[in-house]
Each structure stands twice: as structure tokens, then as C-alpha cells.
Amino acid sequence: MTHFGTIKTRAVAIHKTWARDIPGKVIFFVGNSDNRTEVDIPLVVLPVADDVYPPQEKAMLMLKYVYEHYVDCFRWFIRADDDVYINSDNLGALLISISNRDDVLLGHPGIGTTEEKGKLGLEEQSNFCIGGTGIVMSRSVLKKVYPHLDHCIKHTLTAHEDSEVGRCIKKFVGVQCPWGYEASEIFHQDYGDDQQAYHGDLDLIPFEKVVSLHPVKDAGYLFRLHHHFLSIKQRERQNRARKLKKHIKNTEKILAASKTNHSVNFFRNPDSYYCKLEQCGEFHTAEERVHGKNLPPKTWAMFRDLQSFGVQQFSTPVEVIRSSKAKTLKLVTEKAKQNIIQEERPELYHGFYFGEFEVGYTRESPIRGNLYEIHYTVRMKRDIKGRLETLRQLRRVKFKNTFGSLTARVQQDNPKNELINIVLPCQAPINLFENFLKNVRQMLEKFHETLRVFVVYFREVAQSKKFKSIFEMYRKKFGDFRFVWLEVDGKFNRETAVEIILKHFSKNQLLLFTQIDFIISADFLERCRQNTEKGTRLYFPMALKTRDKKNAYQSGRWEFENYSTFCAYSDDVIALKDIHPVRNASSENDLETSSFVDMFITREQRMLEVFRAPDPGLLLLDSSRPPCLPKDKACTDRFDSTKSLFDYIFKKGYLKDFL
């Protein structure tokens, strides 16, 4: 049931998403209106005003129309609003488990608000199916209620449409919505802000058995939900395909063994627990890998309290788990809870509670995918000899998130020497500014890169005389086209910098936004060209943060939270800026609230694909503390990774007495 006010948005979105997967027929019902809109969907205009609310008569006439035209064509019928999403797979699984010959009514049970209690004309201990989540009825229910629909239209007691339909069915058929809590989960009603329903992280909501989701007021989120459920279906089919391949392989083993009378070993080879050749990590020498020695077991990373403890190159021993990985691990821990509940059957206990999340382990296998092991503490109250006792036990759950099949896409490379426009909002200190320009000069002279540098200087940051004198040296050498100086009044402001820069570019100009404490290489510039696509994709590289650029690959670590360097085309920046205005960061390093994170990284606002990956050609100088000099005996170095610390200890010979 819809109306002409939303027929071009929500109704069309339903027709393009879940309606296509329903194994039957989906019809849209509206009332009479002078403002009709032509749309290409199966539409029925009922002889009732379209804009009357509540639509009690429209709902009853809709049931009459369905009975008169389709009662002998289908076994089940669903009355739904245009702000609902229906999962056709879960709906089919539910209905196939129920006899359609009985009088069956399904939906989300409701009794009205506290103020409406006793005023809806319901009998004692009676309820009605909330209309928003959908009302499912068997054919026998529709046949029995049809002769009384006219009577129900004339004898309404409330201003609600769904309560009147429920009261009519209860009175003349004798069935009502099931009271079971599971019905409320299957037909999911979000009682929060209806304008924000299902706007959050869908992976963290238990949707395994959900048939319908209500309300979905924004048509765009109908597409989002549809994409989410299609992704789940794709993963399930991939897992099933892998299991079938494994069964086929084992069957072939059995058939081959039956011909030779040999036994079949289905147990894993113990050697698979150890690293082999190219699968080995950086802690095993090339000599060991070449000679195929039995290397130490593959290591797991431990995580808890949003901290990860691992042994990877370019990483510290303890790392804060970042947003994307935190989401995945949170999903895994929630899945672990669900698995424990299914195995333990909490209904057998007087109480079943989850204690603190103990610890989790994760490991990535190039072949098997991501492996997880989750440890949870559970407390169970059981009746032991007439006395309730609490048991506290540890439960372990293992997961394997397999990789999908390889997919290939032919892509035309961007021009090799496409001009890159470097946008550099200028800030102190001056030595970093000078280092950056030296870096650009190297790219121009040694690698013959096609670059153009735009420096946006804010006068209140520092006196521009020294900065400009350094800049003039390069401008005179390479020309006005290569080096452009833009001076602006006021304090450092990203919004102002973006506004000014965009005025200087024509369509489809490749831009590189960066800061003065970065060092770029020719390899990085090439990846900037190849990983950025017009109107399709942005490139957000992760830089290698180091205090010593000469030994960056031994002592550095990846900077996960820095989004200030990225590549994008000017048209894409303008389009995104128009729908999501730039907000200035409160400080230079306030990256979580910076404009670029909001405009490009935030999932809900994303228009383009964001390609994010570590780039060894991009270094971020850690200027918070310079590296120690040999003459500074009291100076202590800070080590950014486990490997750099080990190298330092061995170099100094601190362990010679222990080896």
C-alpha cells in the first residue's frame, strides 16, 4: 500500500529491489488523486481518496481486490506498506515450514501505546499485527474474512488501520498475531527515530531470520539493505561452493583408493602448521626458506579492548585497532555469542549470562582466509539437587572467513605522464617546507615528472618573507607554470584552501592533496595516476611514518589514521563538496573531524570508491622528536617497530652474553 506522494521514490525502489525476488506477484495500491504520477510498476487505483489518513478503507478495499482477483492463485498473502524491506529468502523459509491449509496470521504483535490501552476495541489478551512490518495471512484467512470486510469498514472503533484489520480478523476468523518473542524478531520494528532506522552498521544487527524491516523512510536505504542481503547471499553461496569442491575432492580420493585397496587419510598434514617457502614471514631468513627448513609455527595476533598484539613488520608490538578492522572484530565477537547460544541452548538453564570478553586471536592465511578464535566467559545458573548454583566456564569459538574467488577486470591505464597538481596548504616549520620543495625538484630533474605545485599560504601562520624567498628560487628555475604561490589572509583553514584551489582548475584535473611533512617518490606518483579513476575512485594511501628517512623501511610504521594525503580529480572533489560541505579541522592533526574524512571516508556520504592501501613510496616524517645523534649520549631513541628494536639490540651487542 502506497500513495502518490512516495510512489516515485519508495514504491519504485521496492519494485527495483526486494519485489523482484518474491516468488509470486507484488502489486502496488493507491487511491484516487488529482495529482497522479505515471510510473512503470504494477499499480491498482482503488475507489477511495489517496490522501486520507489513516487509510482504513484503503486497507479493507485492498484485501477485497486481492480476494476477487488472486485468491485461487496463491497460498499466502502479505499486506505491507511502502516503507518496509522484505527478505524473500527468509520469508520463503518461514512459510514453507507452516501449513497453508490452516488459519494462520503472522506479523509483529502490538497492543498500542500506553495511552491507547483498553481503547482499541480489543478483547482481553488480544492483539493485532502491526501493519508496518507486514501482515502475512494464509488463503483460508482471506477467504473467511472477505465476506465481512464491508461490515468492518462501517464499524471502525479507532483511528488506526492495522488495529482495525486485526480486530476484524480476530472477530470473524478467530486468529490473531502470535505472542511469541520470536515473532517480534522475525518481523523487525525499529522503535527509535524512524528517520534514522537502519542507518548504522548493518553487520552488527542479527538479521539471520529477519523477514521484514520497518520503517525504511529513505528510498536509498532500501537499496542499501538490498545490497547488504545480496552480499550475505553471495558469501553463503561461495562457502557452499567450497564445501562441495571439498566433498568432490574427498570422493575422488575414496574412488581412487578403492581401485588400489589403499586407505585414505583425511587428516591435515602436521607440516601445514609450519611456514613454507613464500608463505613465511619476514622473521625467517631467505636461506631458511630456500632450503625448506622446518620453520617455527605460524603466529597468531591477539586482540582485546581495541588493542592488537602482533609481530608484523612496520608495526608496533601493541597497536590500536582501527575503525574498519574494529568493525570486523566486533562482528566476529557477536557471531561468537550467537554460536555459543545455539550450542548451549540457554532455555535449559535458569539463567545464562555472558561475562567479559576474554581474548581473541586472529591470523591471515593466504589460502584459507582470515582465521579467528574467540574466548568468552559464560555464567549459567542450573538446578542441582533442588538448589540453584552458578557455573562459570570458558567457551571457545573458531571462525574461518574465507576469501572469495578471484575476479579480474580489464582497466585502461591513465596516461603515463598525466599532469599531477600538488596542492600544499603551507604551515610552519620552514625546514619541512624547504625539504618538500627539494623533494619536488628531485622529481622534476631526476625523474622528469610532470608536476605542478600550488602553495596556499596563510599569513597568520608565520611571516611569509622567508617562505616566499625559498619558493621564489624554485619558481625562477622551473617557471610560473610549475610553481604557483597563493597567499590568503587569516589562520590555517582547510575549507578556504579547498575553495581557492578549485577555482584554478579546469575539468578533470588530477589533484594531489598533501602536507609539507610528507616525502613523495616517483613510484608513488605513478600509483597516484593508476589508482585514481575519474568519477569512480579516489586514492587514499597509507604513509610510512618514520623519524629516520634513510632507514624508514627498517624502523618505520604505517600511519593508519592520516587521511591528509590523497589523489582525486577536480570534478569529483567539487561534486562531493557540493553535497557535503567542507568543515575545518580544529587543529592541524585533528584528522578524525577533518573535512577530508567527512567528505571522502565517511561511509554514509560515500559517492565514490575509496582505494586505501599502504604505499611504500610515501613517507611521513615524524617531527615531534628528531632522531638521536651519535654525540648525544643522553639521548634515547624511540623504536617504532619490533624489528627495529631487535636490530638495535643486536647491533649494540646487548645480548652477546646470553647467546
Side-chain angles (χ1 to χ4, degrees):
M1 182 165 59
T2 184
H3 59 92
F4 283 108
T6 59
I7 197 169
K8 291 185 69 175
T9 54
R10 295 203 293 250
V12 171
I14 288 174
H15 182 64
K16 291 181 177 180
T17 55
W18 60 262
R20 296 184 176 184
D21 299 328
I22 297 294
K25 190 176 183 67
V26 177
I27 304 173
F28 295 86
F29 290 86
V30 295
N32 277 318
S33 176
D34 296 333
N35 300 318
R36 292 196 178 187
T37 305
E38 296 298 326
V39 289
D40 187 18
I41 60 175
L43 190 65
V44 173
V45 180
L46 298 171
V48 62
D50 187 56
D51 56 354
V52 174
Y53 190 86
Q56 296 171 333
E57 188 175 359
K58 186 192 289 187
M60 302 292 186
L61 291 177
M62 183 171 67
L63 294 178
K64 289 185 66 176
Y65 182 94
V66 171
Y67 173 85
E68 293 167 358
H69 292 81
Y70 299 105
V71 71
D72 294 322
C73 301
F74 303 101
R75 298 187 181 97
W76 295 97
F77 299 89
I78 304 176
R79 169 253 174 269
D81 289 340
D82 66 354
D83 59 347
V84 67
Y85 182 90
I86 294 179
N87 186 320
S88 59
D89 292 336
N90 290 349
L91 175 63
L94 173 65
L95 296 183
I96 204 171
S97 64
I98 304 172
S99 173
N100 59 78
R101 297 179 181 178
D102 300 330
D103 296 338
V104 179
L105 190 69
L106 299 174
H108 186 104
I111 57 173
T113 63
T114 305
E115 294 77 12
E116 294 171 335
K117 191 173 181 179
K119 301 177 183 180
L120 298 179
L122 300 174
E123 299 176 3
E124 190 71 22
Q125 299 299 319
S126 293
N127 63 23
F128 61 93
C129 290
I130 293 176
T133 58
I135 303 174
V136 182
M137 63 185 73
S138 61
R139 178 162 51 191
S140 62
V141 171
L142 183 60
K143 284 184 175 181
K144 291 179 180 180
V145 78
Y146 170 73
H148 308 285
L149 290 175
D150 289 334
H151 172 84
C152 293
I153 293 174
K154 296 176 183 178
H155 296 84
T156 58
L157 297 178
T158 68
H160 297 295
E161 163 264 328
D162 47 7
S163 64
E164 290 301 321
V165 172
R167 199 168 61 85
C168 186
I169 294 175
K170 175 65 175 177
K171 181 177 181 179
F172 295 105
V173 185
V175 293
Q176 65 177 11
C177 227
W179 277 113
Y181 177 73
E182 191 176 16
S184 301
E185 290 185 325
I186 292 175
F187 298 90
H188 192 273
Q189 171 73 29
D190 191 319
Y191 286 101
D193 183 357
D194 59 0
Q195 299 299 325
Q196 297 295 321
Y198 312 112
H199 283 210
D201 195 338
L202 298 178
D203 286 326
L204 301 181
I205 304 176
F207 283 155
E208 285 78 5
K209 297 181 180 179
V210 165
V211 168
S212 65
L213 302 166
H214 178 266
V216 188
K217 297 299 184 182
D218 189 338
Y221 283 88
L222 287 167
F223 289 97
R224 184 190 181 211
L225 286 166
H226 193 59
H227 179 269
H228 174 73
F229 285 113
L230 286 178
S231 300
I232 294 175
K233 185 189 295 187
Q234 181 187 16
R235 290 197 298 268
E236 291 174 348
R237 289 181 176 178
Q238 286 177 340
N239 290 334
R240 177 167 172 75
R242 291 189 192 93
K243 289 180 180 179
L244 291 174
K245 287 180 181 179
K246 187 175 181 179
H247 292 329
I248 293 171
K249 187 176 180 179
N250 289 338
T251 304
E252 290 174 347
K253 284 183 180 180
I254 295 173
L255 294 174
S258 64
K259 297 178 181 179
T260 59
N261 295 324
H262 290 160
S263 61
V264 183
N265 181 20
F266 292 105
F267 293 99
R268 190 190 302 181
N269 187 339
D271 289 341
S272 66
Y273 288 101
Y274 294 87
C275 291
K276 288 295 182 182
L277 302 179
E278 68 276 357
Q279 296 181 18
C280 297
E282 67 279 354
F283 294 102
H284 305 312
T285 65
E287 182 182 357
E288 288 176 321
R289 293 198 293 269
V290 170
H291 290 87
K293 293 183 178 181
N294 235 8
L295 304 176
K298 302 171 186 175
T299 58
W300 292 71
M302 187 185 83
F303 64 90
R304 64 177 302 173
D305 299 330
L306 292 180
Q307 286 185 320
S308 175
F309 306 85
V311 284
Q312 296 181 352
Q313 193 176 18
F314 305 132
S315 299
T316 56
V318 183
E319 285 191 336
V320 176
I321 298 175
R322 308 302 171 184
S323 55
S324 57
K325 191 173 182 180
K327 169 195 162 184
T328 303
L329 295 179
K330 189 174 182 180
L331 175 62
V332 168
T333 54
E334 289 299 320
K335 290 286 186 184
K337 278 187 178 181
Q338 296 172 20
N339 277 44
I340 293 172
I341 290 173
Q342 291 175 3
E343 292 289 334
E344 295 291 343
R345 297 181 63 191
E347 63 270 15
L348 301 179
Y349 300 93
H350 290 273
F352 189 89
Y353 312 98
F354 282 97
E356 291 296 325
F357 162 61
E358 293 287 338
V359 69
Y361 298 91
T362 180
R363 186 178 77 189
E364 184 176 303
S365 168
I367 298 174
R368 296 185 179 88
N370 291 320
L371 310 177
Y372 300 97
E373 183 171 317
I374 309 299
H375 296 186
Y376 259 113
T377 300
V378 296
R379 291 184 292 116
M380 301 164 287
K381 288 186 177 181
R382 300 189 64 176
D383 189 346
I384 301 177
K385 296 181 180 181
R387 185 176 60 184
L388 286 179
E389 292 190 6
T390 300
L391 304 177
R392 186 177 182 273
Q393 295 182 354
L394 181 67
R395 291 290 182 267
R396 296 180 177 89
V397 182
K398 294 184 179 181
F399 287 98
K400 180 168 67 174
N401 187 14
T402 54
F403 296 137
S405 303
L406 291 176
T407 58
R409 181 183 65 174
V410 179
Q411 176 180 326
Q412 185 176 1
D413 287 346
N414 293 338
K416 185 75 175 177
N417 292 320
E418 182 179 8
L419 176 66
I420 296 180
N421 299 277
I422 299 177
V423 179
L424 186 69
C426 188
Q427 298 168 274
I430 193 170
N431 64 313
L432 290 180
F433 177 68
E434 189 172 9
N435 286 340
F436 187 89
L437 295 184
K438 287 180 180 178
N439 181 208
V440 172
R441 183 186 67 185
Q442 185 184 26
M443 295 298 104
L444 292 170
E445 294 180 342
K446 185 176 179 180
F447 299 99
H448 306 290
E449 285 285 350
T450 51
L451 301 174
R452 194 179 183 193
V453 181
F454 285 80
V455 175
V456 182
Y457 189 84
F458 293 87
R459 292 190 179 95
E460 290 190 23
V461 173
Q463 292 296 325
S464 64
K465 186 176 181 180
K466 292 183 179 179
F467 285 87
K468 199 166 185 179
S469 63
I470 295 172
F471 182 84
E472 284 296 318
M473 293 168 50
Y474 293 92
R475 188 186 64 80
K476 290 178 181 179
K477 183 172 184 178
F478 295 100
D480 294 338
F481 177 78
R482 296 292 181 190
F483 285 83
V484 180
W485 178 273
L486 301 172
E487 198 161 326
V488 186
D489 291 327
K491 298 180 180 179
F492 178 80
N493 187 294
R494 292 183 185 274
E495 180 178 3
T496 305
V498 173
E499 289 279 0
I500 292 173
I501 283 297
L502 292 178
K503 295 177 181 178
H504 288 76
F505 297 114
S506 57
K507 289 186 176 181
N508 294 326
Q509 292 289 307
L510 181 57
L511 309 181
L512 166 58
F513 289 84
T514 188
Q515 293 182 169
I516 60 175
D517 48 356
F518 283 87
I519 297 176
I520 58 178
S521 69
D523 289 340
F524 163 71
L525 294 175
E526 186 58 29
R527 284 187 286 271
C528 176
R529 295 185 179 99
Q530 300 304 329
N531 292 333
T532 311
E533 298 179 21
K534 300 173 185 176
T536 305
R537 186 163 71 173
L538 314 170
Y539 181 44
F540 270 82
M542 284 186 284
L544 191 60
K545 189 173 183 178
T546 181
R547 295 166 53 235
D548 183 5
K549 62 182 180 181
K550 292 182 179 180
N551 299 306
Y553 300 108
Q554 285 74 40
S555 61
R557 60 174 177 174
W558 297 114
E559 182 64 19
F560 293 98
E561 291 299 325
N562 198 306
Y563 298 96
S564 56
T565 294
F566 67 94
C567 302
Y569 280 90
S570 55
D571 287 4
D572 296 334
V573 178
I574 293 171
L576 287 169
K577 181 179 172 297
D578 288 342
I579 67 161
H580 191 70
V582 180
R583 294 202 313 269
N584 184 41
S586 58
S587 66
E588 178 184 351
N589 296 317
D590 189 5
L591 297 169
E592 286 300 327
T593 58
S594 73
S595 58
F596 302 118
V597 176
D598 289 334
M599 195 159 58
F600 300 125
I601 299 297
T602 304
R603 184 175 181 179
E604 303 303 333
Q605 302 290 345
R606 187 180 301 171
M607 288 177 57
L608 307 172
E609 177 188 352
V610 174
F611 189 80
R612 182 121 170 101
D615 197 316
L618 182 66
L619 302 182
L620 173 59
L621 296 179
D622 185 0
S623 57
S624 59
R625 179 181 168 196
C628 292
L629 299 176
K631 62 181 181 179
D632 298 331
K633 295 182 179 181
C635 181
T636 303
D637 272 318
R638 184 185 69 187
F639 300 96
D640 295 327
S641 69
T642 308
K643 190 175 186 301
S644 63
L645 175 60
F646 287 164
D647 290 343
Y648 180 83
I649 291 174
F650 280 109
K651 185 178 179 181
K652 292 292 185 180
Y654 293 147
L655 299 179
K656 62 183 180 180
D657 295 333
F658 303 95
L659 299 177

